[in-house]
Amino acid sequence: QKEVEQDPGPLSVPEGAIVSLNCTYSNSAFQYFMWYRQYSRKGPELLMYTYSSGNKEDGRFTAQVDKSSKYISLFIRDSQPSDSATYLCAMVTGGGNKLTFGTGTQLKVEL
Amino acid sequence: GAVVSQHPSWVICKSGTSVKIECRSLDFQATTMFWYRQFPKQSLMLMATSNEGSKATYEQGVEKDKFLINHASLTLSTLTVTSAHPEDSSFYICSAKHLYRDNEQYFGPGTRLTVT
């Protein structure tokens, strides 16, 4: 079993839809959680960073962490074609250095 | 803020030659930088962790004599692929851990290496 599970997709939604991206994890030592967006042939871009259970909002993006269920989510409101990319969840243990990534979910927002 | 650059963005080299890739944190200091490789449609695979002024820590299965890492300053790390072979062709991405924002890592744009 992988430490971090993420549905690879692809996920296709119409423009304006609310997108829900999810990851589950098995290591209870993970304390910090990140979402990255990666466009084709580019490096990942940090979107959201959270360290506690609950919600964190930034513009159209909301990151949700449920440590009791070992489940994290990223919601994208009013999705745009420019949101089409691969979304990677990543997490790290407290005091740790190495990020553990999910496999990434490929999202396509269609006109 | 928190911009990481890589140079070159794309390189083609002949089999048997060496290639150096630079990773710079442009507007912040990073005591720790990481090097990843990524194959098409796959997630990032950590190759090594680089700490400023000390030897890099390599992940299991990564040849340290083939992938030489130097982290000479708080803003620069280099990866040298020595005696490159076609199977080394990949997308190499670095990341830098912000000195004052613990656990936040920022990635460079990546370097595409093609070995012919």
Side-chain angles (χ1 to χ4, degrees), chain A residues 2-102:
Chain A
K2 292 180 182 177
E3 279 191 293
V4 180
E5 298 278 358
Q6 184 177 10
D7 187 338
L11 177 62
S12 185
V13 301
E15 184 179 8
I18 297 175
V19 176
S20 172
L21 304 166
N22 311 294
C23 288
T24 58
Y25 62 96
S26 57
N27 187 351
S28 58
F30 287 137
Q31 296 293 318
Y32 302 91
F33 306 90
M34 284 139 275
W35 285 95
Y36 288 89
R37 177 175 63 194
Q38 186 176 25
Y39 292 111
S40 182
R41 298 175 180 252
K42 300 290 184 184
E45 172 194 6
L46 180 63
L47 284 178
M48 300 289 285
Y49 167 76
T50 56
Y51 55 87
S52 58
S53 285
N55 294 350
K56 180 178 180 180
E57 191 173 316
D58 184 0
R60 295 185 296 112
F61 299 94
T62 299
Q64 191 174 78
V65 174
D66 182 346
K67 288 186 178 180
S68 62
S69 301
K70 298 188 179 67
Y71 188 88
I72 66 170
S73 299
L74 177 71
F75 298 96
I76 307 174
R77 290 183 298 282
D78 188 25
S79 56
Q80 304 295 311
S82 58
D83 295 328
S84 299
T86 296
Y87 290 80
L88 296 149
C89 65
M91 44 201 81
V92 64
T93 60
N97 262 334
K98 294 193 291 186
L99 292 178
T100 300
F101 284 93

Side-chain angles (χ1 to χ4, degrees), chain B:
Chain B
V3 179
V4 177
S5 71
Q6 276 184 247
H7 178 79
S9 57
W10 185 33
V11 58
I12 301 174
C13 71
K14 291 187 177 180
S15 189
T17 61
S18 296
V19 174
K20 180 186 282 189
I21 303 170
E22 290 187 350
C23 176
R24 293 181 185 271
S25 54
L26 297 184
D27 52 0
F28 67 99
Q29 292 180 321
T31 54
T32 305
M33 290 185 171
F34 304 86
W35 287 95
Y36 297 82
R37 65 188 297 182
Q38 186 177 34
F39 292 104
K41 298 190 184 295
Q42 294 187 23
S43 193
L44 291 83
M45 183 188 80
L46 180 65
M47 298 174 66
T49 301
S50 163
N51 289 297
E52 186 262 340
S54 63
K55 288 184 178 181
T57 303
Y58 290 82
E59 295 300 298
Q60 191 174 10
V62 178
E63 299 174 60
K64 62 180 181 181
D65 294 330
K66 180 168 186 61
F67 298 100
L68 300 178
I69 292 172
N70 183 276
H71 192 160
S73 76
L74 288 174
T75 58
L76 173 64
S77 176
T78 60
L79 168 69
T80 301
V81 183
T82 62
S83 186
H85 288 96
E87 57 265 30
D88 298 323
S89 299
S90 188
F91 193 50
Y92 291 87
I93 310 175
C94 72
S95 73
K97 187 174 174 181
H98 198 296
L99 182 59
Y100 299 113
R101 298 180 197 169
D102 204 24
N103 294 303
E104 287 189 21
Q105 288 187 32
Y106 297 90
F107 284 82
T111 296
R112 183 158 303 280
L113 170 64
T114 302
V115 184
T116 60

